[in-house]
Amino acid sequence: MLGLYVHVPFCSAICNYCNFNRGLFDGALKTRYVDALVREIARAGSAGDARAAGEPRAADTIYFGGGTPSLLEPAEIARIAGACADAFDVSADREMTLEANPETVTADRLAAFRAAGVNRVSFGVQSFRDDELRRLSRLHGADRARAAFAEAREAGFDNVSLDLMMWLPGQQVEQWLDSVDQAVALGPEHLSLYLLEVYPNAPLKEEMARARWSQAPDDDAATMYLAAMDRLEAAGYEQYEISNVARPGRRSRHNTKYWTDGEWLGFGCGAHSTRDGVRWKNVSATEDYADRIGRREPTAVDVRRLSDAERLGDALFTGLRLSDGVDEAAVERRYGVNLWQRYGADLEPFLDSGLLKRQNRRLWLTRRGMLLAHEVMTVFV
Ligand code: SF4
């Protein structure tokens, strides 16, 4: 089934490390943007759209990502979800996720989002330490993050995810693990752990130089990752992807489509889609996107039919991100390629060094291998 992704590019302030497709909140532009989203979704579901010709396709996930989707009003989320339900055959048990920043929610707003159909909230917490949050120029503190979590529970959400970032400027292993422990103490169903990447033109880079903050040595970053995964496992979470852990049955259904060779449609500026072997991306600029929808012009750029080799490379690249790894027999059935015959000689050294495991024609990265995943994956690209 399809996954539907809706991009919301507005934020109350721009964080000093961010390189996502986002801009400052503008009420008038937001209203125009929501109208454009609804029209784009209707267009994708209509038979008049060359990419979507035929029967309405079944979809079982809707994911509002950003940006800060929780800056939209609950009624706007409901309207967009309604457009999805009109244009696609959205299953009754669909997963509908809203990314939310802790400072944008209240118990009432969360209850209204829930009434609008949202059944999973993903909070961008990043850290439970105020000094770290300040360094990242986040608008919330640790207390607000905890309060937002409690408000989500109060509103009836039984599927909550928290994002945390490690390897922050000035952060030591113990401080990182303190945030992990605080997250575990709340008991979310799902956690995503990311390594901070400081981009060359990020304002944070300059601030770090000025304040003489540095990131811990690489070995410490590896310890942060491995120790956090150990702790989370001990607390009953299962790691199912390089950066993601969940309670049993609580994996992100939407994101799993990205890692299992699935299909999804992305709506909004900069959103990516992959369907029927074709991949495309919408124009990135918010106004340009809304203008094009208003003029009934295509919003897709970079439309590309994937070659068999690219599809295979992607399937292996993303499949290895999963703890379950890659099923060689399934790859052979789908792509007609014997994985081990083609890549075995190049993969052998990674087996010998303990980064990769292979058993019963299944291939997966060990946890140490996940740290060096990019080196292993270069074999496939
Ligand atoms: S809230 Fe998220 S998307 Fe917005 S600026 Fe900060 S990191 Fe970027």
Side-chain angles (χ1 to χ4, degrees):
M1 288 209 222
L2 280 172
L4 307 177
Y5 173 82
V6 180
H7 190 69
V8 181
F10 305 107
C11 292
S12 306
I14 303 302
C15 303
N16 57 12
Y17 60 91
C18 177
N19 80 334
F20 297 128
N21 188 27
R22 78 299 178 258
L24 276 180
F25 183 83
D26 168 334
L29 180 57
K30 180 204 64 168
T31 302
R32 204 153 74 81
Y33 186 78
V34 170
D35 287 343
L37 279 174
V38 167
R39 288 175 67 180
E40 188 195 9
I41 292 165
R43 197 163 79 177
S46 77
D49 186 305
R51 290 193 310 269
E55 292 296 303
R57 284 278 301 269
D60 66 346
T61 64
I62 302 175
Y63 191 103
F64 291 90
T68 310
S70 52
L71 284 176
L72 293 191
E73 292 309 315
E76 291 170 323
I77 294 289
R79 193 173 155 221
I80 297 165
C84 291
D86 288 344
F88 298 93
D89 181 10
V90 177
S91 60
D93 75 335
R94 84 272 174 283
E95 172 190 271
M96 197 195 294
T97 303
L98 180 78
E99 286 184 354
N101 282 358
E103 75 281 1
T104 62
V105 299
T106 59
D108 286 349
R109 275 178 74 76
L110 283 162
F113 285 130
R114 194 165 162 71
V118 176
N119 56 14
R120 182 172 182 271
V121 181
S122 175
F123 284 118
V125 172
Q126 318 313 353
S127 165
F128 281 99
R129 298 176 69 96
D130 288 337
D131 55 338
E132 292 175 356
L133 288 166
R134 273 194 298 274
R135 276 178 209 171
L136 294 175
S137 68
R138 298 291 304 206
L139 295 177
H140 67 275
D143 283 348
R144 174 86 293 268
R146 278 186 286 268
F149 185 87
E151 288 158 4
R153 290 293 197 226
E154 203 183 304
F157 285 101
D158 63 358
N159 198 359
V160 179
S161 179
L162 305 181
D163 281 1
L164 291 180
M165 279 199 316
M166 68 189 111
W167 212 25
L168 303 181
Q171 186 185 55
Q172 306 298 312
V173 174
E174 281 317 307
Q175 294 159 343
W176 156 246
L177 292 175
D178 175 46
S179 275
V180 173
D181 288 344
Q182 294 202 53
V184 168
L186 290 178
E189 282 66 37
H190 186 281
L191 284 143
S192 300
L193 314 181
Y194 300 107
L195 273 168
L196 171 70
E197 248 184 277
V198 184
Y199 293 94
N201 58 354
L204 176 60
K205 194 168 178 81
E206 240 173 67
E207 287 167 36
M208 285 172 66
R210 222 177 316 124
R212 296 177 191 277
W213 299 324
S214 55
Q215 287 175 290
D218 287 6
D219 281 355
D220 285 4
T223 304
M224 287 180 187
Y225 177 78
L226 296 172
M229 287 302 176
D230 284 349
R231 253 174 223 212
L232 289 163
E233 217 163 60
Y237 293 91
E238 57 181 14
Q239 181 183 11
Y240 68 100
E241 197 264 349
I242 287 183
S243 304
N244 289 280
V245 304
R247 295 259 183 231
R250 296 299 197 169
R251 298 178 179 197
S252 163
R253 278 161 61 190
H254 182 83
N255 289 338
T256 297
K257 293 183 193 296
Y258 301 144
W259 304 313
T260 52
D261 220 0
E263 299 198 315
W264 62 92
L265 291 179
F267 303 106
C269 58
H272 292 256
S273 303
T274 299
R275 183 180 184 176
D276 299 333
V278 181
R279 179 165 296 168
W280 68 95
K281 173 183 179 283
N282 274 351
V283 285
S284 300
T286 310
E287 298 219 27
D288 186 14
Y289 164 80
D291 289 346
R292 285 181 189 226
I293 295 281
R295 294 195 299 262
R296 297 173 193 273
E297 287 173 9
T299 50
V301 289
D302 300 336
V303 183
R304 224 157 49 83
R305 177 161 289 283
L306 300 173
S307 68
D308 287 350
E310 279 175 307
R311 293 180 72 174
L312 172 65
D314 278 6
L316 299 176
F317 201 86
T318 52
L320 268 191
R321 293 188 62 93
L322 293 167
S323 302
D324 292 343
V326 170
D327 178 346
E328 293 178 30
V331 169
E332 190 157 351
R333 277 197 303 275
R334 187 153 186 179
Y335 296 100
V337 169
N338 183 312
L339 186 60
W340 201 252
Q341 268 172 15
R342 184 176 289 191
Y343 299 108
D346 293 327
L347 292 173
E348 202 79 58
F350 296 115
L351 286 179
D352 295 342
S353 57
L355 300 185
L356 202 58
K357 284 217 162 183
R358 182 174 188 241
Q359 220 169 32
N360 302 329
R361 298 202 71 203
R362 183 170 282 281
L363 194 65
W364 71 96
L365 289 168
T366 61
R367 197 163 280 162
R368 219 160 53 75
M370 286 184 170
L371 272 171
L372 299 167
H374 281 285
E375 283 179 36
V376 181
M377 288 169 181
T378 49
V379 168
F380 304 125
V381 290

